[in-house]
Amino acid sequence: MGGLSMDQAFVQAPEHRTKANLADADGIPVVDLSPLAAGDKAGVDALAAEVGRASRDWGFFVVVRHGVPAETVAQALEAQRAFFALPADRKAAVRRDEAAPLGYYESEHTKNVRDWKEVFDIVPREPPPPAAVADGELVFENKWPEDLPGFRYDLALGVGRHKDAGALTILYQDDVGGLDVRRRSDGEWVRVRPVPDSYVINVGDIIQVWSNDRYESAEHRVSVNSEKERFSMPYFFNPGSDAMVEPLEEMVSDERPARYDAYNWGNFFSTRKNSNFRKLDVENVQIAHFRKDRP
Ligand SMILES: O=C(O)CCC(=O)C(=O)O
Ligand SMILES: [Fe+2]
């Protein structure tokens, strides 16, 4: 390290760091969504069965021929790059905080270790996003500050290992790569290589609970690329804050009783969200805390 130092807040425990030459997630399901637009019942049923298998075996899959116009994605990418290229004070002007958790943040923590990333959170509908997202006066500038000497990419993660708390995540990633999933069959971390014009879908904790553990929320993370910036756009599909989450009736039987106590989504989400803001001395809330067989 030649005497250079990095902020210890970013340093992952050795067992959680990315290994060199991570294997590709060979065999990750790639699902063609075009039967949805065709609307033919047999095609849609076959698609649903394919999604069911992918959710059970991986909890992670890639969708193609999804019908989102390429032009829409191109516009979103352009806006995203423009925003993150703004000078820090402009980004700080739309910084989020616990009371108003939409907007820019550069110090997100996952499981009490700082992620090496910047984030800008919006919702598609109410409440309206901050006007600065689309203010049309965007300045293209290198966003990397020069005050991070000796940053060891291999010690940090872009996003620390976690499972998404909501029902489902739909993720657009650019062609840089770095998204890793823990493969269910053997517990190894593998890289989800970008597929052009696709979205990665991952089952979140709520589907795990609704399905009474038939589908499992997949653990994932983002490794850091030392040469290129990486951009991604996750869309989190979450219920309203008053929703109570529990195994669905049709997933519960005498042979397979409910494995979770009901919990309130709004409380879960705000507790988790607050733990993203800074390192805390308490463990993150997890659905395991609501398992009936918890220790
Ligand atoms: O950037 C990505 O590819 C994934 C981000 C992620 O896992 C998350 O924000 O929950
Ligand atoms: Fe995630």
Side-chain angles (χ1 to χ4, degrees):
M1 290 287 284
L4 296 173
S5 63
M6 70 181 274
D7 185 339
Q8 292 300 302
F10 289 102
V11 177
Q12 296 279 341
E15 66 272 26
H16 298 313
R17 295 175 195 163
T18 303
K19 308 270 183 301
N21 304 321
L22 205 68
D24 283 355
D26 281 339
I28 195 166
V30 178
V31 179
D32 178 345
L33 290 187
S34 55
L36 284 181
D40 133 71
K41 180 162 174 4
V44 173
D45 287 350
L47 174 62
E50 203 181 339
V51 167
R53 282 191 298 276
S55 302
R56 184 195 60 204
D57 298 341
W58 281 82
F60 238 77
F61 53 97
V62 174
V63 296
V64 294
R65 301 184 69 197
H66 39 68
V68 180
E71 181 62 18
T72 305
V73 178
Q75 282 171 2
L77 277 172
E78 198 185 318
Q80 181 187 44
R81 287 185 177 273
F83 175 77
F84 286 109
L86 285 172
D89 58 336
R90 296 273 311 272
K91 289 185 281 192
V94 289
R95 199 165 187 272
R96 73 184 193 196
D97 60 34
E98 281 94 331
L102 292 180
Y104 174 74
Y105 205 59
E106 75 299 332
S107 179
E108 194 154 282
H109 287 65
T110 301
K111 301 207 159 116
N112 290 319
V113 183
R114 187 167 168 189
D115 292 327
W116 195 31
K117 72 167 187 185
E118 292 177 82
V119 62
F120 190 77
D121 270 327
I122 53 174
V123 288
R125 288 182 286 273
E126 293 299 313
V133 181
D135 72 2
E137 287 179 58
L138 303 169
V139 179
F140 286 87
E141 273 190 15
N142 183 2
K143 75 183 166 73
W144 295 116
E146 285 165 8
D147 56 2
L148 281 177
F151 199 96
R152 283 276 305 270
Y153 297 79
D154 55 335
L155 300 185
L157 288 171
V159 182
R161 73 195 194 289
H162 67 283
K163 300 177 176 201
D164 290 350
L168 190 75
T169 303
I170 303 172
L171 174 92
Y172 178 89
Q173 60 167 339
D174 68 12
D175 60 1
V176 173
L179 175 65
D180 302 332
V181 59
R182 200 199 284 275
R183 189 164 51 197
R184 193 152 295 159
S185 55
D186 59 3
E188 284 298 313
W189 284 104
V190 287
R191 176 79 29 101
V192 184
R193 294 278 168 214
V195 173
D197 195 20
S198 73
Y199 297 92
V200 177
I201 312 292
N202 74 278
V203 164
D205 288 346
I206 290 181
I207 286 187
Q208 178 168 335
V209 173
W210 280 342
S211 74
N212 205 21
D213 282 346
R214 281 180 182 79
Y215 300 144
E216 196 182 309
S217 178
E219 193 171 28
H220 56 286
R221 68 181 185 193
V222 182
S223 294
V224 174
N225 187 299
S226 56
E227 275 128 44
K228 288 191 201 156
E229 289 176 334
R230 171 179 183 272
F231 290 83
S232 66
M233 288 184 267
Y235 171 77
F236 301 105
F237 185 65
N238 298 335
S241 57
D242 56 348
M244 292 302 290
V245 181
E246 60 188 322
L248 299 176
E249 238 172 71
E250 50 272 56
M251 295 288 136
V252 173
S253 61
D254 290 344
E255 298 77 58
R256 197 182 174 96
R259 298 188 177 174
Y260 297 88
D261 289 327
Y263 63 90
N264 171 257
W265 164 251
N267 292 342
F268 189 98
F269 183 64
S270 59
T271 310
R272 175 68 73 82
K273 196 88 193 154
N274 289 345
S275 79
N276 286 160
F277 277 93
R278 62 184 55 84
K279 180 170 164 37
L280 300 173
D281 292 328
V282 291
E283 196 198 352
N284 273 185
V285 63
Q286 304 289 340
I287 51 170
H289 297 140
F290 300 96
R291 283 192 77 93
K292 287 188 184 288
D293 64 358
R294 63 189 174 272

